[in-house]
């Protein structure tokens, strides 16, 4: 019997150890992530009620114009109230490119121009997408910034359900994370 390196997949709070070739472990991980994205959305909806779906027009109005009003941003379709960070995200501030829109790409590319804010995530490498995911996690876990909904319609549909684009993006992020884990394990050997 061939002895394969182990890889760990996380599903909810339970960890399972798989003994399989890395390509099988990666496939399992990606499939598990896709199911996890869907189940987390359903679980959150069951606890908190349906996630508020925000249209682009409403998000575009939340830029803290004239130093007043709410400042919202979206990363991977998750909308956060960052009004407490007005000095960073408000009009004229260094990160104002993020306010009032989903400008996921600049979180990783560093291109804070209007053109950079429009860059399609399909054009980013898996490594760059992992950087975007890191920022999404930052906002999701931030003490002050609160998620207030999801943005229709690129990453979430009008019912607040993940779109194929979001699922595919998360799969690319998971595949990159799995590859990095495999590389780390090889170095440890």
């Amino acid at each position: 019997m061939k002895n394969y390196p182990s890889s760990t997949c996380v599903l909810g709070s339970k960890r399972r150890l798989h003994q399989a070739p890395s390509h099988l472990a990666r496939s399992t991980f990606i499939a598990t992530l896709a199911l996890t994205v869907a189940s987390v959305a359903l679980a959150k909806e069951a606890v908190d009620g349906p996630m508020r779906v925000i249209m682009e027009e409403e998000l575009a109005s939340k830029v803290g114009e004239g130093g007043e009003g709410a400042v919202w941003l979206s990363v991977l379709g998750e909308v956060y109230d960052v009004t407490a960070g007005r000095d960073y995200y408000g009009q004229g501030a260094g990160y104002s490119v993020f306010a009032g829109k989903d400008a996921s790409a600049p979180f990783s590319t560093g291109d804070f121009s209007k053109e950079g804010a429009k860059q399609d995530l399909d054009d980013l490498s898996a490594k760059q997408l992992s950087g975007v995911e890191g920022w999404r996690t930052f906002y999701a876990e931030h003490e002050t910034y609160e998620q207030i909904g999801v943005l229709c319609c690129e990453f979430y549909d009008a019912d607040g359900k993940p779109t194929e684009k979001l699922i595919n993006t998360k799969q690319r992020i998971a595949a990159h994370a799995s590859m990095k884990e495999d590389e780390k394990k090889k170095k440890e050997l």
Side-chain angles (χ1 to χ4, degrees):
M1 181 170 175
K2 192 168 184 177
N3 188 16
Y4 293 107
S6 298
S7 64
T8 303
C9 288
V10 177
L11 178 58
S13 62
K14 298 184 184 218
R15 293 182 178 267
R16 297 186 307 207
L17 196 57
H18 295 279
Q19 292 281 356
S22 62
H23 71 278
L24 292 178
R26 189 171 296 120
S27 296
T28 301
F29 182 79
I30 291 169
T32 302
L33 177 68
L35 289 172
T36 301
V37 167
S39 26
V40 166
L42 290 173
K44 184 166 179 52
E45 185 174 314
V47 172
D48 299 338
M51 180 61 67
R52 180 174 174 210
V53 177
I54 297 166
M55 303 309 279
E56 287 183 5
E57 296 79 17
E58 182 180 7
L59 178 60
S61 73
K62 307 298 184 184
V63 295
E65 194 169 330
E68 299 291 323
V71 182
W72 294 357
L73 63 76
S74 174
V75 59
L76 294 177
E78 295 179 9
V79 179
Y80 294 91
D81 183 339
V82 296
T83 305
R86 178 185 315 282
D87 292 344
Y88 303 107
Y89 303 105
Q91 281 188 326
Y95 299 119
S96 61
V97 69
F98 297 109
K101 65 181 79 60
D102 188 298
S104 294
F107 281 105
S108 182
T109 65
D111 182 354
F112 296 165
S113 68
K114 287 184 181 182
E115 294 78 29
K118 294 177 185 176
Q119 186 173 1
D120 192 312
L121 292 184
D122 292 339
D123 297 335
L124 299 184
S125 70
K127 181 178 180 180
Q128 288 173 311
L129 285 177
S130 293
V132 174
E133 173 63 16
W135 281 104
R136 188 208 58 79
T137 301
F138 167 80
Y139 290 104
E141 295 176 355
H142 198 278
E143 292 178 9
T144 307
Y145 305 147
E146 182 179 339
Q147 184 179 3
I148 54 173
V150 293
L151 182 63
C152 184
C153 289
E154 186 175 7
F155 297 109
Y156 291 89
D157 67 18
D159 295 322
K161 306 287 186 241
T163 64
E164 281 296 313
K165 180 159 187 149
L166 179 61
I167 292 167
N168 291 337
T169 299
K170 293 283 189 171
Q171 287 175 341
R172 288 181 61 205
I173 292 167
H176 181 262
S178 180
M179 181 191 71
K180 295 304 280 179
E181 185 65 29
D182 287 349
E183 288 174 1
K184 181 181 174 184
K185 287 180 182 179
K186 285 179 185 176
K187 287 181 182 179
E188 291 173 355
L189 295 178

